[in-house]
Amino acid sequence: MTDVHSLAIRFADLWAVNHHQMVDEIYAPTIHMESMAALERPPVEGAEELHALEDRLAAMIPQHRHELIRVIPGDRVSCLETMVVGPTTAEYAPACVWWWVDAQGEVAYEVGWFDWEVRSTDSHVSHGLVPPNDHRRRGDDGWYRMFAEGLADGLIADPRMALTRLLAPGCVVEVVGDGPGSDIGAAVSGLHRIEVHEVACDGAVVAILFTAGDDERVSRGTFVLTLDGEDRATSLRAYWRWTLAVRADAVHPSLHLALPGSLK
């Protein structure tokens, strides 16, 4: 089994000094890479396209680097929270990626959140609050899946009640990059469905990859929650904006809004 923490550290180290070596070492030659938010955008297919993308990013953000914030490893899928840094302009932007690692220890499939347009000169805003992880396992994978699906179902049925039940007093709720105080209840009001696709968990930390929509539009995002000793969330970090939703018929046909069968 691949040590995702070590792979993530190597990814961040290489991205800062040689993005082409990073692509060759970290990603499978057949990498399939999707945007978490821009569902109309075609995916990156294969290492050659990824090399070209990395060249464009290097030109846009000179001397760029990733600062790892948190790695939430799983047996089959892992979630990484990072912050992209542009040292030449002292600008920062949040990022979040989901990795499916193949038998060769390479990332074969990725879903990522990154938008340099929402960068800030305040690293605290782009980083956000990350409470400590007590590393106490709450239950088996089914427990975490039930927690995630309970949150999703509750946000559709009664957002205010669900958040009152699942969030601890004083819980910091934030769309990462916007700062604390985000009103997730208001943001999901009017949605008809939230479908949980993947859950990664590590003790007190639960990461949830989901799609959300109404009758016409669809979006995709990630919630990362940190639980307290009573299993209520002291932090809810969202990589998601309903304003980025697209019409269902605009979703690129090559995108998989759930995990592709070859990696199940």
Side-chain angles (χ1 to χ4, degrees):
M1 180 178 173
T2 300
D3 181 349
V4 176
H5 283 99
S6 296
L7 189 67
I9 291 169
R10 184 63 174 163
F11 159 74
D13 286 347
L14 286 176
W15 205 67
V17 295
N18 189 329
H19 56 268
H20 290 302
Q21 184 181 354
M22 182 275 293
V23 171
D24 292 336
E25 282 197 25
I26 302 300
Y27 291 95
T30 56
I31 177 64
H32 175 92
M33 180 181 290
E34 299 183 2
S35 169
M36 195 184 301
L39 300 184
E40 75 286 0
R41 183 182 302 165
V44 171
E45 299 287 6
E48 184 176 349
E49 289 190 11
L50 183 53
H51 279 294
L53 172 62
E54 291 296 339
D55 280 339
R56 295 194 295 273
L57 286 174
M60 182 174 68
I61 317 171
Q63 301 178 35
H64 62 350
R65 69 175 188 266
H66 269 292
E67 291 190 0
L68 286 174
I69 293 175
R70 183 159 51 184
V71 178
I72 306 134
D75 292 338
R76 191 176 55 84
V77 57
S78 301
C79 180
L80 284 65
E81 292 187 273
T82 81
M83 183 169 64
V84 176
V85 180
T88 62
T89 57
E91 293 176 312
Y92 310 84
C96 176
V97 298
W98 288 78
W99 276 358
W100 288 259
V101 179
D102 63 18
Q104 288 71 47
E106 298 173 323
V107 178
Y109 182 89
E110 178 181 294
V111 174
W113 175 281
F114 173 64
D115 184 356
W116 189 239
E117 294 302 316
V118 300
R119 63 191 182 275
S120 170
T121 56
D122 186 343
S123 62
H124 295 90
V125 170
S126 294
H127 184 286
L129 175 71
V130 181
N133 182 1
D134 63 17
H135 296 288
R136 177 176 64 83
R137 184 81 178 179
R138 267 57 181 179
D140 59 13
D141 288 348
W143 186 96
Y144 289 95
R145 182 82 188 193
M146 287 182 61
F147 179 93
E149 292 181 345
L151 172 63
D153 291 345
L155 289 176
I156 293 300
D158 189 337
R160 301 296 179 187
M161 180 63 71
L163 293 173
T164 298
R165 178 171 55 87
L166 293 174
L167 305 188
C171 175
V172 176
V173 178
E174 60 185 326
V175 173
V176 185
D178 290 353
S182 303
D183 191 339
I184 295 297
V188 302
S189 179
L191 294 181
H192 295 174
R193 63 187 181 280
I194 299 176
E195 182 177 359
V196 173
H197 290 299
E198 297 296 339
V199 178
C201 51
D202 178 23
V205 182
V206 190
I208 305 165
L209 178 66
F210 64 90
T211 54
D214 58 19
D215 288 339
E216 295 183 347
R217 296 175 295 168
V218 63
S219 66
R220 177 163 57 179
T222 292
F223 292 148
V224 183
L225 300 97
T226 303
L227 309 181
D228 64 11
E230 298 178 352
D231 298 340
R232 300 178 72 187
T234 59
S235 166
L236 190 161
R237 295 163 57 83
Y239 299 88
W240 174 73
R241 288 181 174 84
W242 178 238
T243 55
L244 299 179
V246 301
R247 291 183 59 86
D249 58 9
V251 174
H252 196 278
S254 297
L255 263 60
H256 307 282
L257 295 187
L259 182 64
S262 63
L263 291 176
K264 286 182 179 178

